[in-house]
Amino acid sequence: FNPQGPQQDQFRRQLPNSTGEGKDWGFWLNMNDGKFVLRVNRFETKRVKTRGGDAATIAQRSLRIDVFQSDAHQLVNNARAWITQFNPTFTTAQVDAEIARQTGLSVEEQRELQLPDPGISSTQDVESRGTEIELNFNPNKYWTVQSSFSDTETINTNVNPATTDWIARRMPFWTKIVDPRTGTLWWDTPYGGNTAHSYFTNSVDLPFKILQQQQGKSNPQIRRYRVKASTNYQLAGITQHRILRNFNVGGAVRWEDKGGIGYYGVQKFPASITELDPNRPIYDKSHYYVDAFVSYRMKLFANKVGASIQLNARNLGEDGRLQPVGAFPDGTPLAYRIVDPALYILQVKFDL
């Protein structure tokens, strides 16, 4: 149960509460007194009218063309500047009324959308389904092996039509209003090095089309397959040497499938790319990671205090790199996350 505060769409209509439902089924197999344990689970979950997805982000971006943020291209701010410049005798009320006439946004809309309370969002349904397999194998009391496999798909459906309706309402004003200071269409006039048209295309229109066209399809940004295996062995299983028998060694291998970081354009450079192809995702490659540890157990202070020293190594062999998380429509990476080099941690624990 996750209580939600009120939120509204661009038309200031209250959004419904989100709900969810889920279904799991599978089986559990325990053999040879727990030495072999297998669990298989199939799940399906559905979040209805969820507000935290891409639809919410795009809804907020759509308002940044008119109000909501202090972007240089923002229509209401620019309209206020040129109306004040060319009508120096106007009162504040007259300026507000003229802004409303030119932009098509009433004084009330300007005020309530500039600092919206409750906040602006949008809804969509998110369906997830997949299979999880876990295996625990203990050949003897000294050796344990654990492994897991997951196959997960996420699908977006029922994207709220409010953003489509808002764009349809605003587009006639966006594309026709003229900035009298330059004599050019506000839509295509650069402000701070950017135009409202380019902001709309890159930040609203392209991702919104992808979201709509991907409805009912598996989201390629979710890495579908993941595998993990880990093991731990006590050297007492092969030697009774007074020092060696107190050592534990082990490690883990993790692997994740490729993941989408963007989409190729329908057009190709050097042509202007105005549409992305939802059937041609750009993928970051699959990755694997290796961890290891060695620990030593001992007694201190006349065998009265137990202690252990453990050295952990995470991401063995990793030298550090940049991993792409976003890409231009030609496949060139545009954003990265930093992958740290291998990490070594020394832990000392006492039993008091």
Side-chain angles (χ1 to χ4, degrees), residues 181-237:
R181 297 169 299 183
T182 61
T184 56
L185 287 173
W186 162 83
W187 185 240
D188 293 312
T189 301
Y191 301 95
N194 194 22
T195 68
H197 190 175
S198 64
Y199 174 82
F200 170 79
T201 298
N202 296 322
S203 300
V204 179
D205 191 40
L206 290 180
F208 192 49
K209 285 179 178 177
I210 289 293
L211 180 61
Q212 292 175 310
Q213 293 168 343
Q214 280 288 339
Q215 290 192 83
K217 300 179 182 178
S218 179
N219 185 349
Q221 294 174 322
I222 304 299
R223 297 178 186 267
R224 181 169 180 177
Y225 301 110
R226 294 179 185 270
V227 179
K228 179 180 178 180
S230 61
T231 186
N232 175 35
Y233 192 82
Q234 302 175 41
L235 295 192

Side-chain angles (χ1 to χ4, degrees), residues 106-120:
S106 69
V107 175
E108 181 183 18
E109 285 179 306
Q110 296 172 42
R111 181 179 65 253
E112 294 189 0
L113 293 178
Q114 182 66 44
L115 295 171
D117 185 20
I120 300 297

Side-chain angles (χ1 to χ4, degrees), residues 66 121 154 271:
D66 291 302
S121 190
T154 300

Side-chain angles (χ1 to χ4, degrees), residues 38-53:
L38 174 67
R39 186 181 73 88
V40 178
N41 184 61
R42 178 70 181 176
F43 67 89
E44 292 181 0
T45 61
K46 186 173 183 179
R47 290 175 288 159
V48 181
K49 305 296 182 184
T50 183
R51 305 174 186 174

Side-chain angles (χ1 to χ4, degrees), residues 32-218:
N32 199 13
D33 294 328
K35 290 185 177 181
F36 182 93
V37 179
L38 174 67
R39 186 181 73 88
V40 178
N41 184 61
R42 178 70 181 176
F43 67 89
E44 292 181 0
T45 61
K46 186 173 183 179
R47 290 175 288 159
V48 181
K49 305 296 182 184
T50 183
R51 305 174 186 174
D54 293 336
T57 300
I58 296 170
Q60 294 167 5
R61 289 177 181 176
S62 70
L63 287 183
R64 294 181 62 167
I65 300 172
D66 291 302
V67 291
F68 201 56
Q69 297 288 339
S70 299
D71 300 281
H73 61 257
Q74 189 198 90
L75 178 56
V76 168
N77 280 353
N78 278 287
R80 185 178 301 278
W82 72 58
I83 290 170
T84 301
Q85 177 180 335
F86 289 97
N87 301 277
T89 61
F90 272 17
T91 64
T92 300
Q94 288 175 312
V95 170
D96 290 341
E98 183 62 16
I99 292 173
R101 186 190 70 81
Q102 292 191 26
T103 65
L105 291 171
S106 69
V107 175
E108 181 183 18
E109 285 179 306
Q110 296 172 42
R111 181 179 65 253
E112 294 189 0
L113 293 178
Q114 182 66 44
L115 295 171
D117 185 20
I120 300 297
S121 190
S122 187
T123 63
Q124 64 190 78
D125 295 350
V126 180
E127 301 177 18
S128 298
R129 56 176 178 248
T131 302
E132 300 170 328
I133 301 175
E134 294 183 6
L135 173 64
N136 291 274
F137 179 50
N138 305 310
N140 54 58
K141 67 178 183 179
Y142 303 105
W143 186 19
T144 61
V145 179
Q146 296 176 319
S147 62
S148 64
F149 165 82
S150 64
D151 171 7
T152 305
E153 292 183 283
T154 300
I155 300 169
N156 296 321
T157 58
N158 297 328
V159 175
N160 191 325
T163 298
T164 299
D165 297 339
W166 180 258
I167 292 172
R169 176 195 164 186
R170 299 300 301 145
M171 190 61 72
F173 292 94
W174 290 341
T175 56
K176 293 179 181 178
I177 193 168
V178 174
D179 186 339
R181 297 169 299 183
T182 61
T184 56
L185 287 173
W186 162 83
W187 185 240
D188 293 312
T189 301
Y191 301 95
N194 194 22
T195 68
H197 190 175
S198 64
Y199 174 82
F200 170 79
T201 298
N202 296 322
S203 300
V204 179
D205 191 40
L206 290 180
F208 192 49
K209 285 179 178 177
I210 289 293
L211 180 61
Q212 292 175 310
Q213 293 168 343
Q214 280 288 339
Q215 290 192 83
K217 300 179 182 178
S218 179

Side-chain angles (χ1 to χ4, degrees), residues 297-308 349-352:
R297 182 76 180 168
M298 55 188 168
K299 291 284 188 177
L300 301 175
F301 306 109
N303 292 329
K304 294 181 179 180
V305 178
S308 63
K349 296 181 181 180
F350 297 92
D351 300 329
L352 301 177

